[in-house]
Amino acid sequence: MRYTAGNYEAFVRPEKPEGVEEKHAYIVGSGLAALAAACFLVRDGQMPGSHIHILEAMDIAGGACDGILDPARGYIMRGGREMEDHFECLWDLFRSIPSLEEPGASVLDEFYRLNRRDPNYSLCRATVDRGKDAHTDGKFGLSRKARREIVRLFLTPDEDLYDKRIEDVFDDAVFCSNFWLYWRTMFAFENWHSALEMKLYFQRFIHHIAGLPDFSALKFTRYNQYESLILPMQAYLEKAGVDFRFGTEVTNVLFEHRDGKKVATAIECSVGGSESGIALTENDLVFVTNGSCTEGTIYGDQDHAPNGDAEVRTSGCWNLWKNIARQDPAFGRPEKFCSDIHKTNWESATITTLDEKILPYMEKICRRDPRSGRVVTGGIVSCKDSGWLMSWTVNRQGQFKEQDPDRVCVWVYGLFTDRPGDYVKKAMKECTGREITMEWLYHIGVPEDQIPELAEHSALCVPTMMPYITAFFMPRTRGDRPDVIPDGCVNFAFLGQFAETPRDTVFTTEYSVRTAMEAVYGLLGVDRGVPEVWGSVYDVRALLDSTVCLMDGASPLDASLPGPLELLKEPLLKLVRGSVLEKLLKEHGILREEARA
């Protein structure tokens, strides 16, 4: 397995790997990473579909990429997926997956055309004082000290950030800025999360700093992620003859050490409550999704909070990883991520409007018609003064193909689930769906005397508590996450958000698909490069643009430099005059005409 850049290999159809007809593949889980691995096995590995077996504990595919109508509760979306141009592996995959909406088109074709016709951007990023525009106005509001802290983090080697928290490298200079409001609400970072992951995010998306305040960097699917991404993949795989085994909970994978090799020899599983097993040879490849951000989701409803005797859905994936990890240190340390749910949880809710009474309050904030079928909020609207740090979004409606066109589905989440609300004086995790709706109505400016009536009769809310939703952000060191293909493994690989791959960032669709591509190409020996992570961090143009953006449009030349460096400024400017460097600095806002004069 190797990394490549450019399009030389992007359009190559690799040769069929030697002996692939004699191999079988067992994929544990059916989330995005698992389905992507199956697709790469079919497309690039050219493995017969009947030789690919997907073992899923639940009765439905998709993992965290969900979107369903529960007849007993209502519409449920635990989360959404924000995408961008340079998800190199994701788009490499979806160029080959046929669209279910547009005949003759791929999912990528469909996605591209939609976002060209209806580009995403927000008209109100944050509110205060019950629905009033917070007037962040695209500004980051970073002081000189805050910018220094960010630059210092950006330049820090990875190994110096092992097991460090964000609050170890930032202080209130950053935490009190608009920048941190944008960042933490968009990516769900907490102060105690990994400083290393914060740095990787900054480097990975440096080309999108300008789009952070208004979400113009983002692109979204037409429908929820399950119908737009998962179902087309499932249809592609079923057409290829892939074997889906739902209701199959894998509990362990057993290994033997032979001549310096680690060989997966058996899969232990439970099928319909009965213990079972699958014997393996070196010709049987095993791909395991280790860990899950939505494992153990607790479902409430309009009248019940997601706690107590509420329904909990589990696939056993954390226990599976623990059982595997006990057999070899190269298989990672799952306890690092799943042992403190007080630091890894947040709660989301899907609110469905039942009539038109709430819509004017939404439209006043987002300044768009929620039922137009086009971009509405353009990303989350964060309630800056919310005790729960509540954010909400309305994506293109209907979010579900069969959704009543008169109804609007709103996704809400709270980053602080243990703090009391501002209208409902309770912690979010203790609230029913109705109470969450009441708190949301309060923050979008509904008169207080109308809130109980509208929450009761004009909306239906399904809350979901996710204990491990930010588990992958916990501080970590080398070896906590296993390599995609652990050292010495010949027929085994990890997939998904808790496998290690260089330079990319978790909590993205790209990360899931990248690990799948690396796993399949590595174990099968597919002769085609995996696209490297987009290299904007090495592009001087992106670095110059982001510098100006973080200074809210000012040039770094406007700032005074320490001591002798200030004396060097003018001689250096004279040195670049009349050169291509001067032109570059002008084009990217560093050198202004008045500075030259």
Side-chain angles (χ1 to χ4, degrees), residues 484-495:
V484 171
I485 302 177
D487 185 45
C489 287
V490 296
N491 67 338
F492 178 83
F494 288 109
L495 307 171

Side-chain angles (χ1 to χ4, degrees), residues 37-101:
C39 290
F40 287 128
L41 286 167
V42 170
R43 188 192 75 179
D44 299 331
Q46 300 166 67
M47 180 179 284
S50 60
H51 289 198
I52 302 170
H53 316 281
I54 295 177
L55 313 177
E56 170 56 56
M58 303 294 189
D59 58 0
I60 189 172
C65 292
D66 62 353
I68 61 169
L69 173 60
D70 184 326
R73 291 184 174 89
Y75 287 112
I76 303 174
M77 301 175 291
R78 287 179 294 185
R81 297 296 173 266
E82 301 165 338
M83 289 167 279
E84 57 110 15
D85 301 14
H86 293 297
F87 280 4
E88 308 296 308
C89 297
L90 183 80
W91 304 133
D92 187 292
L93 169 65
F94 279 109
R95 68 180 171 85
S96 301
I97 306 299
S99 166
L100 299 182
E101 301 299 309

